[in-house]
Amino acid sequence: MAPTHRSPQGPRHLARAAAVLAASLAVLASLTGAAPAAPRAAADDADVDVQVNAQASLGTLTGAARGVNTAIWDAHMNDPEVADLMTAADVGVMRYPGGSYADIYHWETHTAPGGYVAPGTGFDAFMGTVRDAGAQPILIANYGSGTPDEAAGWVRYANVTKKYGAKYWEIGNEIYGNGHYGSGWENDEHADKSPQEYAREVRAYAAAMKAVDPTVKIGAVLTSPGEWPDGVVGDGDSGDWNHTVLPAVADVIDFVSVHWYAGGSDTTADAALSKLAKLPGELREVRNQIDRAAGAHAPDIGIALTEINTNTGGARLTARPNGLFAADAFMTALENGVFNVDWWNTHNGAGEITTVDGETDYGDMGMLSSGACTGDVCEPAPNTPFAPYYGMKMTAQLGTAGDTMVAAESSAQDVSAHAVLRDDGRLSVMLVNKDPDTARTVALDYDGFTPSATAPEVTRYARGDSDITEVTDGDAFASRVTVPPYALLTVTLEPKAGTGPAASAAGTPGTPRLDAVTDTTARLTWDGATGSARYLVQERDGAHTRLVGEATGTSVTLRNLPPGSTHTVNVLAADPAGRLSGPSAPLTFTTGTPADAVCSVTYHRDSSWGNGFVTTVTVRNLAGTPITGWTVDWDWPTTGQSVDSGWNATFHQTGSHVRVTAPDGAGPLAPDGGSTASFGFVGANDGPNPDPAVFRLNGAVCSGG
């Protein structure tokens, strides 16, 4: 991202024998009784219900979870106050040298031809700030005007000469914005600006850089599914950016880098808060693309969300709503498979001046003031925190490295909930009230956690608060809290003595792995836990879980799964007394389609333009008898996908379900694959656009997809 503002282009069921399952569920219930110790009567006046499941892991927070961008054109990037503020907010990553500037920046001479370089912003000065903040860098190697040798030299200087131990290295910034798809803001001096060339060069960069330091982690740039130019196929290309780059580099990279801005024509932060609902689906599709391209190596490839903010084209950026967005966005991304989230930017500069929620909004994409002015309106003193800084800082009240994110579900769209099971056994819940006018009373209920009678610790960021504030008014219970309008509230609870993972002699099992999967079965294995007598495998649906497998060893086969269905599971260990450990990290998998199906379907996306697409579907009857009067059914994997118009068939969509009926006068489908039926349609997508997982011909599951 450049320093000036721009707009980016752009019925599942897992079964066991009934008697075994009933017995297992009874045991599980006896082990995890979670009636809260605080009086439930206190929640009778609640208008929002939040369910927290401490046995449903969403992953573990790492030291790299919270990050910020820095830029060499920012004269304040290395002010001493910056390191202190980043330490206070538990920032673990600082990204350098600054979005699009990375593709004009030459580290050795500290120059950026065509751009401004502020004094005191060189690499060593930056690393001083990183070290003072107790953080680590993400460094962007110059792809646009650099070479693999130049990048390797930077690795040598950083990690051999200076021994900085710089671990994460991206190859370029938003290279898909190099003009290949029509719109260009990213410098790229390669004659060939295609995704194929970028993939070839990533391989060359990775080889050169790892030859110097084999421990470095190399990141390739991807587009966010559902965001421009996702789905666009350039001239001479065989696929879009992600589907070209990923298969070609999956064996040499360690992570992918994506950016996400809420964007859109409504540039208010309130609108951005609602648009966060798209982010989980987009991140799931990034993971799906990695899984398809990398196979067995896929779990080793991480996802870094190295730029996020509301909007680059004039959203209200420094005021309270963007603080709510920052907290909600950081946790939403981390809960959906990202290991690192970096806010754009530390300092950025004043933009459009507006009034939001009774305070001046400076139109600045920074977390901290740069002291700049728009006309005769000037920002506060440099390094004064804006609301997004406090949003990020509140997430540090929720959890830090080693803590486990767990499922939390809210009954209200305008109140978000995020929860973390702390490494010391406590449970923290962060609530985001997006209603600017009304305080919301929230009833809290728990699975897998029993609060003590001790009053919870509560911190708040609300109107009138100049920082994250401790709440000591006694109006918070384990079962009920009130969140002021436009506010963040984090509640931290002690476990009842003798309960929770800390009371178990069993350690936490390893993340389950998918050893084999068919259309109806999945074999899972995991690394065992010390002190374990047996293991329980649970499937998650929102904030609810159900027991789906049990074993004394470290593997289980799940059976009777529906073809083409997606499942998220985790494992708990029980010690000899039956006390449960904390949950493992989750695994999400999808079953396939039957190899011996009586039909096959080919779904081919002919073209795509980010929020729309054209698809041709071809159906073949593989049974021994002809079919007359056929229907084809599928379900869209994500919200926002739809059929707009079609041909050679009749289309009907209800919710996410699509039924296609043969046109009048259509001949029979011949047996044994002797003929085909084809139809096409124009579709629309608001967000990611994954292909349907399973198709049915007259109710029978088909092979292919």
Side-chain angles (χ1 to χ4, degrees):
M1 156 127 213
T4 54
H5 296 176
R6 63 164 176 78
S7 296
Q9 301 294 316
R12 286 186 327 214
H13 179 65
L14 297 178
R16 288 176 54 85
V20 174
L21 179 58
S24 299
L25 287 170
V27 171
L28 183 62
S30 70
L31 293 173
T32 62
R40 286 298 302 170
D44 289 348
D45 60 345
D47 56 2
V48 180
D49 295 318
V50 167
Q51 183 72 37
V52 179
N53 192 332
Q55 294 179 341
S57 170
L58 305 180
T60 302
L61 290 168
T62 72
R66 279 173 287 271
V68 296
N69 279 270
T70 61
I72 55 174
W73 41 261
D74 171 17
H76 295 289
M77 65 174 286
N78 293 314
D79 289 355
E81 299 96 324
V82 172
D84 293 340
L85 287 163
M86 296 306 149
T87 300
D90 195 36
V91 169
V93 159
M94 302 182 78
R95 183 172 179 252
Y96 176 94
S100 295
Y101 258 59
D103 287 306
I104 60 173
Y105 178 65
H106 300 284
W107 71 272
E108 193 164 17
T109 58
H110 189 49
T111 58
Y116 170 70
V117 177
T121 61
F123 176 56
D124 288 318
F126 163 72
M127 285 304 303
T129 299
V130 171
R131 289 190 158 183
D132 288 347
Q136 62 180 309
I138 287 183
L139 302 173
I140 318 170
N142 183 344
Y143 176 85
S145 60
T147 65
D149 286 344
E150 181 181 29
W154 196 359
V155 174
R156 183 176 294 105
Y157 179 78
N159 292 355
V160 178
T161 303
K162 302 295 289 189
K163 302 189 182 331
Y164 288 142
K167 182 178 180 180
Y168 297 106
W169 299 76
E170 297 178 60
I171 310 305
N173 185 53
E174 296 170 351
I175 304 302
Y176 48 80
N178 61 7
H180 183 66
Y181 300 107
S183 181
W185 63 85
E186 198 77 15
N187 180 58
D188 183 0
E189 297 178 7
H190 295 80
D192 182 350
K193 294 178 171 54
S194 69
Q196 296 94 320
E197 176 67 6
Y198 177 71
R200 286 189 288 267
E201 286 288 282
V202 166
R203 298 188 68 87
Y205 273 72
M209 297 163 77
K210 289 195 175 189
V212 174
D213 182 353
T215 70
V216 297
K217 304 296 184 182
I218 301 298
V221 173
L222 297 186
T223 66
S224 292
E227 307 294 332
W228 189 94
D230 174 55
V232 178
V233 179
D235 290 342
D237 297 343
S238 59
D240 66 3
W241 183 273
N242 288 10
H243 291 91
T244 301
V245 171
L246 257 178
V249 304
D251 60 324
V252 300
I253 63 171
D254 305 283
F255 68 100
V256 299
S257 171
V258 294
H259 294 171
W260 197 85
Y261 292 87
S265 57
D266 187 340
T267 60
T268 65
D270 286 340
L273 283 162
S274 66
K275 289 172 186 174
L276 267 177
K278 296 198 307 182
L279 183 56
E282 296 191 19
L283 294 173
R284 281 195 300 271
E285 182 58 15
V286 174
R287 175 48 62 189
N288 290 340
Q289 292 176 1
I290 294 170
D291 289 347
R292 290 192 292 266
H297 177 49
D300 301 322
I301 300 177
I303 303 172
L305 187 55
T306 53
E307 288 186 23
I308 192 169
N309 206 312
T310 45
N311 190 282
T312 60
R316 289 28 174 166
L317 297 166
T318 67
R320 184 166 310 280
N322 215 25
L324 306 186
F325 174 88
D328 210 6
F330 268 83
M331 294 313 303
T332 297
L334 293 167
E335 291 163 350
N336 283 277
V338 168
F339 74 88
N340 159 255
V341 186
D342 304 322
W343 188 261
W344 183 273
N345 197 9
T346 301
H347 310 90
N348 206 70
E352 179 186 2
I353 306 300
T354 58
T355 299
V356 179
D357 196 39
E359 56 184 319
T360 301
D361 189 290
Y362 298 96
D364 190 324
M365 300 181 73
M367 281 197 160
L368 308 178
S369 171
S370 63
C373 304
T374 295
D376 59 357
V377 178
C378 294
E379 297 182 346
N383 300 310
T384 300
F386 291 135
Y389 171 81
Y390 294 116
M392 179 176 64
K393 188 176 181 181
M394 182 60 93
T395 69
Q397 299 290 311
L398 181 64
T400 57
D403 295 340
T404 301
M405 296 173 288
V406 296
E409 195 168 55
S410 171
S411 65
Q413 288 188 338
D414 58 358
V415 177
S416 295
H418 306 276
V420 169
L421 184 62
R422 311 299 288 264
D423 198 38
D424 60 8
R426 294 178 299 158
L427 180 71
S428 294
V429 183
M430 183 177 75
L431 303 168
V432 185
N433 182 4
K434 307 170 193 177
D435 188 323
D437 303 313
T438 307
R440 307 302 294 274
T441 300
V442 180
L444 295 163
D445 202 7
Y446 311 94
D447 288 329
F449 182 83
T450 306
S452 74
T454 304
E457 297 177 9
V458 181
T459 54
R460 181 193 66 208
Y461 180 61
R463 292 180 177 124
D465 294 334
S466 59
D467 202 338
I468 305 301
T469 302
E470 291 188 16
V471 178
T472 58
D473 59 11
D475 190 30
F477 306 88
S479 60
R480 180 191 57 75
V481 294
T482 298
V483 190
Y486 254 15
L488 303 169
L489 195 77
T490 295
V491 181
T492 299
L493 305 159
E494 297 282 347
K496 183 179 179 180
T499 69
S504 177
T508 302
T511 306
R513 301 178 293 272
L514 184 64
D515 274 3
V517 63
T518 70
D519 56 323
T520 60
T521 67
R523 179 174 172 79
L524 310 178
T525 61
W526 55 88
D527 293 336
T530 58
S532 175
R534 60 196 177 90
Y535 299 94
L536 305 176
V537 180
Q538 299 191 124
E539 180 175 15
R540 177 169 62 85
D541 183 5
H544 302 280
T545 55
R546 59 180 179 270
L547 184 69
V548 296
E550 188 175 356
T552 55
T554 56
S555 66
V556 70
T557 298
L558 307 179
R559 305 183 186 279
N560 302 319
L561 311 178
S565 56
T566 299
H567 309 270
T568 298
V569 297
N570 61 262
V571 184
L572 298 99
D575 68 11
R579 297 168 299 206
L580 295 179
S581 70
S584 74
L587 167 72
T588 298
F589 67 90
T590 301
T591 57
T593 56
D596 57 352
V598 296
C599 53
S600 68
V601 169
T602 300
Y603 180 95
H604 183 266
R605 201 178 307 168
D606 305 324
S607 62
S608 181
W609 50 92
N611 62 354
F613 58 103
V614 176
T615 291
T616 299
V617 180
T618 304
V619 185
R620 192 181 298 270
N621 171 26
L622 304 179
T625 57
I627 295 176
T628 301
W630 50 263
T631 61
V632 175
D633 293 81
W634 71 81
D635 291 288
W636 292 118
T638 68
T639 59
Q641 293 176 284
S642 63
V643 174
D644 277 359
S645 61
W647 51 92
N648 294 343
T650 301
F651 296 80
H652 182 71
Q653 181 166 338
T654 303
S656 63
H657 184 78
V658 178
R659 169 159 288 190
V660 184
T661 306
D664 292 341
L669 280 170
D672 303 319
S675 66
T676 62
S678 292
F679 55 86
F681 64 90
V682 177
N685 58 290
D686 180 15
N689 189 29
D691 294 350
V694 65
F695 296 84
R696 288 175 169 82
L697 175 64
N698 288 4
V701 177
C702 300
S703 63

